[in-house]
Amino acid sequence: MTFLPRPKKQLAEIVPAIGKCGHKALPRSLAGSLIHAIAYPWFVSHARTKAREFTVSDACTSCGTCAEICPADNIELVDKKPVWKDRCELCLGCIQLCPTQAIQAGPKTATRPRYHNPEIALADLKRSKK
């Protein structure tokens, strides 16, 4: 299936505008500042810890797809099993694209379907080796 010309035209119009929009600061309030002061430190301390919930079952074949497609270079194979470091962006590509569905993020993902956009080849998602 090929892309239609209209989306390409729309992209040609949108891409040059990225980053050129003026930034308008949001109004500050005492309540907002208080919430930020309380919530932000918690957010920062937990933002990169969700990958700790990832598990790998015995269905893992050590194919390395998860490590190859990770945009943050956050997964490495250790003893032929994926291990997540501390840079996870929670894109969940590793879960969605694991060919054996061996990767889980908590107890609920085992029963959920996986999705791979049929228009995007797996080879296009793999990072080039440096």
Side-chain angles (χ1 to χ4, degrees):
M1 183 175 211
T2 59
F3 288 103
L4 300 174
R6 185 166 182 240
K8 284 186 178 182
K9 182 181 179 210
Q10 289 174 327
L11 279 174
E13 294 169 357
I14 293 169
V15 170
I18 294 174
K20 293 185 179 178
C21 297
H23 175 14
K24 183 178 178 184
L26 296 173
R28 293 188 177 213
S29 68
L30 180 59
S33 295
L34 183 61
I35 290 170
H36 181 271
I38 293 170
Y40 189 70
W42 179 89
F43 170 78
V44 169
S45 69
H46 290 81
R48 305 285 180 169
T49 62
K50 283 296 185 183
R52 293 180 191 158
E53 296 178 16
F54 290 8
T55 58
V56 182
S57 73
D58 290 336
C60 178
T61 61
S62 305
C63 69
T65 298
C66 54
E68 291 175 330
I69 60 100
C70 180
D73 192 23
N74 188 56
I75 303 171
E76 65 180 308
L77 294 183
V78 176
D79 295 328
K80 298 184 180 181
K81 298 292 180 191
V83 173
W84 286 261
K85 299 179 256 182
D86 60 356
R87 297 185 300 272
C88 183
E89 297 292 334
L90 292 176
C91 72
L92 303 182
C94 55
I95 293 172
Q96 300 297 341
L97 298 171
C98 177
T100 61
Q101 297 186 6
I103 301 172
Q104 308 303 329
K108 293 182 181 179
T109 59
T111 58
R112 293 195 175 150
R114 310 302 165 103
Y115 178 75
H116 177 184
N117 184 332
E119 299 294 321
I120 300 173
L122 186 59
D124 293 335
L125 296 173
K126 292 183 178 182
R127 292 178 299 104
S128 61
K129 298 293 180 194
K130 295 170 182 128

